[in-house]
């Protein structure tokens, strides 16, 4: 019997538990026993684990977050990081790892390959910004929350004649902002791929008012950069173990800039962690289930240092080296959606 170690790292997403369940159940069918490491790479370094038999993954399909816990621990920031991981894997007789996470978590899995550690990655991030896969676990669920939020904001916006700004996640890629904006009928869509000017946003609002539209809804990605600023708007300047600052606040920046120019109130809603929480959508459950089963299949075929990916409707194994370190921005062919109804 082989043994797989599963870990989940980075910001959580709805659908991770569905992937864990699939790996455990499909693995069990193929005589692969699973254990779960707790809190991402931290659990592998510190040998914190729990057994994962089919009985432990019963009833988790519809639950958001991760039953294993998550962290942004980077073992390569710790001198003994790799040695500790090797020791944990030996002690638990682990044959291979499945890492579920975004670019940072999966980049550790890839780096470990050069130390003889066999791993497979499963992409999960609501930002949907990992290369070579059309979708990451979590994106569809977050999009559902954003669409619902925009529907709800519309009622106050038109009843009170307000300008409402909805800030959503998306550090470097505007998938959530663009697709959420289209699905929820936002009037102005601002994304990290295109620096924006507040003057242009102001003009768009005035144009709407000239057309007797007495409210405007703006959706803005946290990573969208105002032309006038040197860099993105940062909530916390302190960098994490993977070198990222915490973004946030660009919605309020736009509101402050617009406030003096407008005769109607400008208000901001930051969806923050609400968009990452809650039940996974049907699409995320299906994607996660397929990715989990695919990870086991790839292991049985002895294909490691790869990531599960969906391209069209087909699940593929793509090389981690090729998928990581490049943000997947909005396809240029979709950018027309930003200004479709301007
Ligand atoms: O999961 C990716 C992400 O959602 C980014 O869009 C966001 O910047 C980041 O996580 C924030 O997560 P946390 O506050 O948990 O570090």
């Amino acid at each position: 019997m082989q043994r797989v170690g599963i870990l989940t790292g980075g910001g959580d997403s709805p659908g991770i538990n569905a992937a864990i369940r699939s790996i455990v159940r499909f693995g069990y069918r193929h005589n692969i026993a699973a254990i779960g490491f707790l809190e991402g790479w931290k659990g592998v370094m510190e040998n914190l684990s729990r057994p994962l038999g089919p009985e432990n993954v019963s009833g988790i399909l519809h639950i958001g977050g991760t039953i294993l816990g998550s962290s942004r621990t980077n073992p390569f920031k710790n001198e003994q990081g790799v040695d500790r991981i090797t020791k944990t894997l030996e002690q638990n007789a682990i044959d291979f790892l499945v890492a579920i996470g975004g670019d940072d978590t999966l980049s550790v899995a890839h780096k470990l390959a050069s130390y003889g550690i066999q791993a497979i990655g499963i992409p999960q991030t609501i930002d949907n910004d990992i290369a070579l896969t059309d979708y990451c676990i979590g994106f569809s669920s977050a999009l559902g929350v954003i669409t619902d939020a925009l529907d709800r904001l519309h009622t106050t916006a038109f009843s009170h004649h307000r300008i409402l700004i909805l800030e959503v996640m998306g550090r470097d890629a505007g998938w959530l902002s663009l697709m959420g904006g289209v699905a929820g009928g936002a009037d102005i869509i601002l994304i990290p791929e295109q620096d924006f000017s507040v003057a242009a946003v102001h003009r768009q609002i005035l144009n709407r008012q000239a057309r007797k539209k007495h409210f405007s809804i703006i959706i803005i990605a946290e990573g969208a950069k105002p032309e006038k600023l040197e860099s993105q708007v940062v909530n916390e300047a302190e960098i994490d173990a993977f070198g990222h600052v915490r973004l946030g606040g660009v919605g309020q920046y736009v509101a402050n800039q617009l406030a003096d120019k407008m005769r109607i109130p400008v208000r901001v809603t930051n969806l923050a962690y609400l968009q990452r929480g809650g039940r996974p959508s049907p699409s995320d459950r299906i994607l996660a289930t397929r990715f989990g089963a695919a990870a086991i299949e790839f292991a049985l075929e002895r294909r490691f240092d790869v990531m599960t990916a969906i391209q069209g409707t087909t699940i593929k194994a793509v090389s981690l080296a090729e998928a990581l370190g490049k943000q997947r921005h909005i396809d240029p062919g979709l950018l027309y959606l930003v200004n479709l109804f301007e």
Side-chain angles (χ1 to χ4, degrees):
M1 180 173 256
Q2 286 195 68
R3 280 166 71 81
V4 55
I6 305 171
L7 67 117
T8 59
D12 66 322
S13 292
I16 296 176
N17 288 329
I20 296 172
R21 170 180 176 267
S22 179
I23 298 164
V24 171
R25 291 179 66 166
F26 199 64
Y28 187 77
R29 255 181 57 180
H30 290 278
N31 220 16
I32 298 174
I35 73 161
F37 289 108
L38 307 182
E39 295 174 46
W41 290 110
K42 177 173 185 265
V44 194
M45 272 170 50
E46 298 180 11
N47 197 7
L48 308 170
S49 69
R50 56 175 276 192
L52 283 179
E55 66 285 1
N56 307 112
V57 294
S58 180
I60 65 168
L61 176 64
H62 64 291
I63 297 172
T66 159
I67 58 163
L68 295 176
S70 187
S71 72
R72 295 193 188 270
T73 306
N74 183 353
F76 289 93
K77 289 275 167 196
N78 181 306
E79 263 181 36
Q80 278 104 43
V82 176
D83 292 342
R84 291 167 73 178
I85 287 176
T86 309
K87 198 168 157 206
T88 300
L89 299 185
E90 276 170 16
Q91 279 175 351
N92 292 279
I94 298 295
D95 296 287
F96 67 98
L97 289 170
V98 177
I100 306 173
D103 199 86
D104 296 335
T105 303
L106 302 191
S107 71
V108 174
H110 171 57
K111 279 194 198 165
L112 289 172
S114 51
Y115 296 88
I117 293 169
Q118 295 179 319
I120 292 165
I122 293 184
Q124 76 77 8
T125 164
I126 65 165
D127 288 6
N128 206 38
D129 60 354
I130 298 183
L132 301 182
T133 184
D134 294 345
Y135 294 103
C136 301
I137 296 172
F139 173 63
S140 149
S141 307
L143 205 51
V145 178
I146 291 168
T147 306
D148 183 55
L150 285 171
D151 289 349
R152 289 167 190 271
L153 289 175
H154 263 93
T155 58
T156 293
F158 82 73
S159 303
H160 288 261
H161 292 179
R162 284 185 184 161
I163 296 163
L164 294 185
I165 301 177
L166 180 67
E167 181 175 321
V168 297
M169 286 188 179
R171 297 184 67 85
D172 304 293
W175 292 103
L176 287 171
S177 179
L178 177 59
M179 295 310 173
V182 171
D187 305 303
I188 298 169
I189 297 173
L190 302 171
I191 56 176
E193 284 84 349
Q194 299 174 332
D195 288 3
F196 66 94
S197 88
V198 177
V201 171
H202 183 219
R203 266 197 311 277
Q204 277 175 274
I205 297 170
L206 293 182
N207 286 342
R208 280 179 56 76
Q209 289 175 344
R211 300 199 308 271
K212 303 268 178 279
K213 301 276 189 185
H214 298 299
F215 71 91
S216 291
I217 296 187
I218 303 171
I219 186 166
I220 183 165
E222 61 179 357
K225 189 174 89 52
E227 271 172 11
K228 281 202 173 146
L229 298 187
E230 292 282 301
S231 55
Q232 293 164 307
V233 177
V234 166
N235 182 312
E236 256 173 43
E238 203 181 314
I239 56 168
D240 68 16
F242 290 94
H244 307 301
V245 290
R246 201 148 78 80
L247 298 179
V250 69
Q252 192 57 54
Y253 170 88
V254 174
N256 295 345
Q257 301 286 310
L258 282 177
D260 299 342
K261 301 185 171 65
M262 305 303 318
R263 265 186 256 124
I264 58 174
V266 186
R267 303 271 157 80
V268 183
T269 301
N270 190 338
L271 213 41
Y273 300 112
L274 288 175
Q275 71 205 286
R276 233 163 62 177
R279 284 150 51 109
S281 69
S283 300
D284 272 332
R285 297 179 197 197
I286 295 164
L287 181 68
T289 301
R290 294 185 73 193
F291 276 172
I296 292 295
E297 266 173 29
F298 300 157
L300 292 169
E301 293 161 6
R302 315 292 308 151
R303 298 167 84 180
F304 296 107
D305 201 18
V306 293
M307 181 184 87
T308 62
I310 186 158
Q311 295 175 358
T313 56
T314 309
I315 303 283
K316 296 193 172 161
V318 298
S319 136
L320 276 173
E322 281 169 33
L324 301 177
K326 358 177 145 58
Q327 280 110 22
R328 178 171 162 264
H329 294 291
I330 292 172
D331 303 340
L334 290 171
L335 287 174
Y336 75 97
L337 288 169
V338 172
N339 300 312
L340 188 61
F341 301 128
E342 200 179 304

